[in-house]
Amino acid sequence: MRVLYLRPEGSDLPSVEGIDIVNISIFSVQCLQYDETSFRDIEGIAFTSVNAVRCFHNFEEIRHMRIFSIGPETAEELVKHGFNPVYPEKHTSRDLALLLLNSGLSSVVAFRSRRASQDMKEILSPLIDYREFYDYDLVLDQSKLSEVKELLQRCEIDVVVLTSSLIAKSVANFIKDCHKVVTIGPMTSTSLRTLRPELKFIESRVSSIKGTIDVLESLRGGDNFG
């Protein structure tokens, strides 16, 4: 089984026995400057992706704060810096926002992508002191996107794994009937459904790379779309 992942440059993917994983980085990560003084009076810090952690550089200044992550993979990146973050049972930005709301904190900053959705703002801003800093952006590589388009048009891929709404929006129109599709979670599924309502797909029960790997292993074992 040949599987196409479209992770940003620098993202890690596990190797899986019996599965040929092709990872084409159609996005590169560009770290951005952020205001290093405006979050020092904040009670909690949230990170919504691995790249948000990798582009952050004020770890010593947040040691006294409560730290949150969107899921286990982002948490693992924070553990490397000596933190033990809390994350929601479902690894979505909406569930992270609800976790923050129920944490008892009155002020929180989230470090996110410049292309982040508005869901956390909509949930938190009316109720607590909530701020967002965008410490990275994802830049589309048109040549890599053309490579993906050609690969999909030739039906040389068995399964396409969509790991973000942005990736889903970028490649949805290239997916054909010869491909099975796996989405990492509900927001990615919504983006795909909006663009290609006729496509069938499997949504990972856990919104993480590990969750998508579990889906692939079930497909390898002969499970079908249901």
Side-chain angles (χ1 to χ4, degrees):
M1 183 167 66
R2 198 171 191 214
V3 179
L4 176 65
Y5 274 85
L6 302 169
R7 302 288 288 150
E9 181 180 352
S11 298
D12 299 324
L13 280 176
S15 60
V16 184
E17 185 178 354
I19 298 178
D20 177 16
I21 293 180
V22 179
N23 183 29
I24 299 178
S25 301
I26 63 172
F27 287 97
S28 60
V29 179
Q30 180 182 50
C31 291
L32 304 175
Q33 291 185 335
Y34 55 87
D35 188 338
E36 299 183 18
T37 63
S38 295
F39 60 87
R40 291 174 181 170
D41 58 342
I42 295 296
E43 297 172 350
I45 303 286
F47 294 88
T48 62
S49 71
V50 170
N51 286 319
V53 179
R54 290 176 176 172
C55 288
F56 184 78
H57 51 263
N58 295 89
F59 294 105
E60 293 306 315
E61 297 177 33
I62 65 171
R63 299 257 172 225
H64 64 290
M65 301 179 187
R66 292 174 64 182
I67 308 299
F68 299 80
S69 74
I70 197 168
E73 284 140 4
T74 302
E76 287 176 10
E77 196 69 22
L78 285 162
V79 167
K80 296 176 184 178
H81 297 276
F83 296 96
N84 184 26
V86 178
Y87 54 85
E89 184 176 351
K90 294 183 178 180
H91 313 144
T92 71
S93 53
R94 178 177 178 81
D95 287 282
L96 175 58
L98 295 175
L99 176 63
L100 292 168
L101 195 60
N102 293 324
S103 68
L105 299 178
S106 60
S107 58
V108 176
V109 158
F111 282 86
R112 312 192 69 191
S113 163
R114 177 178 280 173
R115 299 170 184 260
S117 64
Q118 298 296 305
D119 50 353
M120 292 184 69
K121 276 186 178 180
E122 291 171 355
I123 293 171
L124 295 172
S125 292
L127 301 171
I128 64 173
D129 178 7
Y130 173 73
R131 311 171 201 172
E132 288 188 351
F133 290 102
Y134 309 116
D135 63 347
Y136 75 99
D137 195 7
L138 295 174
V139 181
L140 182 64
D141 186 326
Q142 291 291 346
S143 64
K144 293 291 183 65
L145 186 62
S146 296
E147 181 182 347
V148 167
K149 180 180 179 180
E150 184 176 349
L151 192 62
L152 293 177
Q153 284 181 335
R154 295 198 302 263
C155 287
E156 295 181 357
I157 293 295
D158 301 304
V159 183
V160 182
V161 182
L162 304 176
T163 58
S164 73
S165 294
L166 183 60
I167 288 172
K169 293 173 184 177
S170 300
V171 305
N173 290 329
F174 307 151
I175 297 171
K176 304 177 68 174
D177 291 340
C178 56
H179 307 120
K180 291 184 178 180
V181 181
V182 175
T183 65
I184 198 169
M187 294 185 67
T188 303
S189 298
T190 297
S191 295
L192 180 62
R193 192 179 293 114
T194 298
L195 291 168
R196 296 287 304 277
E198 79 284 4
L199 279 181
K200 292 183 178 180
F201 58 87
I202 299 176
E203 181 180 295
S204 174
R205 293 182 180 179
V206 179
S207 299
S208 67
I209 294 298
K210 175 62 169 60
T212 64
I213 294 294
D214 290 343
V215 175
L216 295 178
E217 290 179 336
S218 71
L219 289 175
R220 183 184 57 186
D223 289 357
N224 297 314
F225 288 87

